[in-house]
Amino acid sequence: MMKFPMTSWVVFATVTLQSTLVLPRALADAPTSKTISLFNGKDLEGWYPDVPDADKNPNIQPSFIVRDGKLVSMGVPRGHLITKKSFQNYRLEVEYRFPGKPGNCGVLVHTDGKRPRVLYGMFPASLEVQMQHQAAGDFWCIHEDIKVPNMEARRKGPKENWGGKQGQSRHITNLTDDSEKPLGEWNRMVIECLGDKIRVWVNGDLVNEGYDCTATEGQISLQAEGAEVEFRKLELTPIKSSP
């Protein structure tokens, strides 16, 4: 029988004990949720349109189509494309571009499908992350509200008029308008919704962050708001904390 010095047994026991402790901790920290794609590249499965002009004309041209493997917002007729499912605590990665003329669009998080068209007869209750050319990352409050650092300088209008309803000051400017790629190139927007906080990056730059949002979950919407916009990635990853 081979004998080992006492020091060797102590080292062996220590290493063995550490190993048994480290392994369960590593397993506990392992991610349990996987990234999902909200767009399958073939059709609009998992989404539904809400286009007011289609109420009276069901044969109206579609506001959202799939073309060459991309989800395309045609810009008109104006309206929204809304996920059938609701989400909470996630990181949404969006790759988009204006293939033609610059214009307006947006991603609406925490959309309340039970309160559609609460603003101007078209916009659902939500918090809009602006995608308008040279203004990507602005917040627009739509019957919801949010706070940001340096509110007095970044929120339009007098403080007593801040809010999310028609006639109130709903617009909060971003931190930089210099993060977008030249017109026609692909932009990468990341929207992180965690509890009552929302943070937005454009091409790696943190362009906005807010807290005390009055909504913390809901559907996700894309806008048709006058300009053609192509989307080639819409991926959502559930999160429990901010990295």
Side-chain angles (χ1 to χ4, degrees):
M1 178 177 173
M2 184 178 295
K3 296 183 179 181
F4 295 91
M6 180 60 68
T7 53
S8 298
W9 280 108
V10 172
V11 171
F12 174 77
T14 302
V15 171
T16 302
L17 180 59
Q18 288 178 341
S19 298
T20 59
L21 292 175
V22 170
L23 183 58
R25 185 179 302 167
L27 290 175
D29 291 342
T32 58
S33 302
K34 294 183 179 180
T35 297
I36 60 173
S37 179
L38 301 181
F39 171 54
N40 63 20
K42 299 180 292 184
D43 54 38
L44 299 179
E45 181 181 1
W47 301 78
Y48 67 90
D50 183 49
V51 179
D53 286 350
D55 293 348
K56 296 181 180 179
N57 182 8
N59 297 318
I60 198 170
Q61 64 179 0
S63 302
F64 304 92
I65 64 172
V66 176
R67 183 180 66 201
D68 299 329
K70 303 176 185 66
L71 193 162
V72 184
S73 170
M74 301 303 293
V76 291
R78 295 175 184 250
H80 296 84
L81 186 68
I82 307 172
T83 60
K84 295 179 180 178
K85 294 182 178 180
S86 292
F87 304 94
Q88 183 179 28
N89 296 331
Y90 59 85
R91 185 175 299 108
L92 178 66
E93 183 176 345
V94 181
E95 290 186 0
Y96 73 96
R97 69 171 182 171
F98 293 91
K101 297 180 180 179
N104 197 6
C105 193
V107 177
L108 279 55
V109 298
H110 302 333
T111 298
D112 187 348
K114 297 180 180 179
R115 291 190 290 160
R117 308 183 188 181
V118 295
L119 184 70
Y120 304 127
M122 184 179 75
F123 296 87
S126 58
L127 195 288
E128 178 183 349
V129 180
Q130 180 70 272
M131 294 171 59
Q132 181 174 348
H133 183 60
Q134 295 184 340
D138 286 8
F139 287 149
W140 282 89
C141 301
I142 307 173
H143 278 241
E144 300 293 355
D145 209 349
I146 197 168
K147 298 176 183 177
V148 299
N150 198 17
M151 281 271 283
E152 287 76 9
R154 297 175 52 206
R155 187 149 192 170
K156 303 295 184 180
K159 186 174 183 178
E160 58 272 17
N161 196 43
W162 292 350
K165 296 182 180 180
Q166 186 170 337
Q168 293 183 316
S169 300
R170 304 183 299 107
H171 185 198
I172 303 173
T173 58
N174 63 28
L175 298 171
T176 170
D177 286 331
D178 299 324
S179 299
E180 296 176 51
K181 298 289 184 67
L183 187 65
E185 295 187 17
W186 290 98
N187 292 287
R188 178 176 179 266
M189 175 180 283
V190 176
I191 304 171
E192 181 183 277
C193 299
L194 186 62
D196 64 1
K197 299 177 177 62
I198 298 176
R199 297 200 295 172
V200 183
W201 292 263
V202 174
N203 298 317
D205 295 340
L206 180 66
V207 298
N208 216 337
E209 57 181 334
Y211 57 96
D212 285 350
C213 186
T214 54
T216 58
E217 62 181 309
Q219 295 151 270
I220 296 170
S221 306
L222 304 177
Q223 288 185 324
E225 203 172 8
E228 183 176 316
V229 184
E230 294 181 340
F231 298 87
R232 68 179 183 184
K233 177 185 283 190
L234 289 158
E235 290 186 346
L236 182 146
T237 304
I239 58 174
K240 294 181 179 180
S241 61
S242 182

